[in-house]
Amino acid sequence: MHTHRVSGEQAAAAPFPCEIAVDDMPVASGGHYKPGKAVTASVYRAKIAGHSRVVTVSWSRDLFSHAFAVTVTGADGASAECRVDLRPWQFWRRAGSRRVELSGGGGSTTVRVLWDLRRARWHGAAAGLPDPRGGYYVAVEAAGEVVLVLGDLRKAALRRAYPSAPPSLAAVPVARREHVFGRRRFAAKARFHDQGAVHDVAIECAGEGEDVEMAIGIDGEEAVAVKHLQWKFRGNQSVTFGRAKVEVYWDVHDWLFAGAAGGARPALFIFRPIVLSSASAGASAPLLSGVDGAAGATGFCLYLYAWKLD
C-alpha cells in the first residue's frame, strides 16, 4: 500500500473534496447519537421534474427496530421527507408507498416513495450497517418517472411503479455517511462507493498530552500514521492499493480541543475513491468521471463520523 501525505496548514488550504459539503450532510435532530444505534445515509443527485435535486436515503437500527427515511431537497430551499419505522410486530409496514409534496421550482411536485422489505436480508449486528444487504427495493417516483431505485429487486420496483417510466438519466451517488463509536479504537464496515465492496476500516489513537498518535487501517493494513496529532489535527493522505486509490482526509480538532464537550462532537474522516489513469502514472480521475453533471466531476465521498465515548 503506497501513501502520499499532506498535513497541517497545507492540508487546511486544500479544496473540499466533495460536492456535498459537510454542513449539507443530514444529521439527526440535535446531532446526538446513542451508542448501539447504527445510522447511515446515502446521498444522490437526481433530476426531478426537470430540476436537479438531492435525494438522501438514510437507515437506522437499534435493538428493537429498523427505520428508513427518504428526503428530497433542492438549491431553492424546497424539501420533502418520508420516514418509515419498521417495528417487528408491524408486518404491514414492510411493504407500502407514501406520497409527499415537494414545493419550489415554480410549482409543486408529488413525490411517491415505494418500498418492499418483506424478504429483506439484513447485515448482522457486528457489521454495523443498518441498511439491507439484499432482497428488497426502495424506489422514488415523481412526474411520471422513477428517479431512483435502491436494492436488488429493481424489476419488481419498476413493475409496481408502472406506468411511470424508468429514469432517463440515472441518479448519481454523491456521498455516504457512517457513524462509529469508541474510546480509543473505532472500527467500521464501510463502502468507499455506494455499491462497492465492504471494507474494514479501523482508527486507533494512542498517547496523551503532547504525544498523541493516530493510525488508520484499511482491510488490516496501516494506511495512515500521524504522530504529534495535536499539531496535525487536520490533514489528508493518498493511499493506493491494487488499481484503486483513496484520498483520506481527517479533522480531529474537536477530539483534542473541545474540552469537556469533546465527547459530544465527533471527529470527521473522509474517504474519496479515485481511479488511477492509464495515461500517466501520476494522474488520476474521479471514480464517476464517466457520468455527466457536477457530481461526476467531483466524485463520491464516504464520511465517517467517529464519536468518543466517556
Side-chain angles (χ1 to χ4, degrees):
M1 185 176 291
H2 305 285
T3 63
H4 171 69
R5 177 178 304 157
V6 181
S7 60
E9 295 180 0
Q10 184 178 358
F16 196 81
C18 301
E19 178 192 15
I20 301 296
V22 63
D23 291 338
D24 295 331
M25 290 295 289
V27 296
S29 176
H32 299 295
Y33 292 88
K34 295 180 179 179
K37 184 173 184 178
V39 181
T40 188
S42 295
V43 183
Y44 303 84
R45 179 71 69 182
K47 184 155 287 189
I48 297 178
H51 297 276
S52 178
R53 303 291 187 185
V54 174
V55 181
T56 303
V57 181
S58 58
W59 298 83
S60 63
R61 185 195 66 214
D62 56 26
L63 293 176
F64 303 105
S65 65
H66 289 80
F68 75 90
V70 177
T71 306
V72 182
T73 57
D76 54 5
S79 178
E81 182 185 53
C82 169
R83 178 179 174 83
V84 179
D85 292 304
L86 304 168
R87 301 190 182 279
W89 58 88
Q90 295 175 328
F91 300 101
W92 60 91
R93 286 194 176 180
R94 296 183 184 179
S97 67
R98 287 185 187 173
R99 287 179 170 85
V100 293
E101 291 297 320
L102 178 67
S103 301
S108 179
T109 302
T110 299
V111 177
R112 186 165 65 130
V113 179
L114 309 96
W115 68 91
D116 189 342
L117 299 160
R118 291 173 295 180
R119 295 178 295 278
R121 300 185 301 277
W122 304 91
H123 295 276
L129 297 173
D131 45 341
R133 60 184 178 88
Y136 80 104
Y137 69 76
V138 173
V140 180
E141 181 266 335
E145 186 177 62
V146 181
V147 298
L148 176 67
V149 179
L150 301 182
D152 53 350
L153 302 181
R154 179 181 176 84
K155 290 183 178 179
L158 294 177
R159 282 196 304 268
R160 187 171 173 201
Y162 183 84
S164 295
S168 56
L169 182 64
V172 178
V174 175
R176 182 176 172 90
R177 187 193 66 212
E178 306 276 356
H179 292 266
V180 292
F181 301 85
R183 289 181 170 82
R184 289 187 173 271
R185 187 177 191 276
F186 305 83
K189 299 276 189 179
R191 299 182 180 93
F192 295 147
H193 187 277
D194 195 61
Q195 300 298 327
V198 176
H199 296 273
D200 291 305
V201 178
I203 302 165
E204 295 190 54
C205 292
E208 295 181 358
E210 297 185 359
D211 191 22
V212 181
E213 301 180 358
M214 180 183 70
I216 303 174
I218 301 175
D219 292 337
E221 294 188 47
E222 185 178 274
V224 176
V226 183
K227 295 184 178 181
H228 306 296
L229 190 63
Q230 70 277 12
W231 302 112
K232 303 174 184 177
F233 51 84
R234 295 189 182 101
N236 65 287
Q237 184 168 320
S238 299
V239 179
T240 304
F241 52 99
R243 299 186 62 184
K245 184 176 181 180
V246 175
E247 192 77 15
V248 182
Y249 300 77
W250 66 89
D251 182 346
V252 299
H253 176 275
D254 288 342
W255 275 1
L256 301 172
F257 305 112
R265 302 191 61 174
L268 172 62
F269 299 86
I270 304 174
F271 299 82
R272 182 195 178 194
I274 52 181
V275 293
L276 300 178
S277 171
S278 58
S280 60
S284 63
L287 185 64
L288 302 176
S289 58
V291 181
D292 294 333
T298 55
F300 177 90
C301 284
L302 166 68
Y303 295 76
L304 193 61
Y305 292 85
W307 299 77
K308 272 195 172 183
L309 301 176
D310 295 332

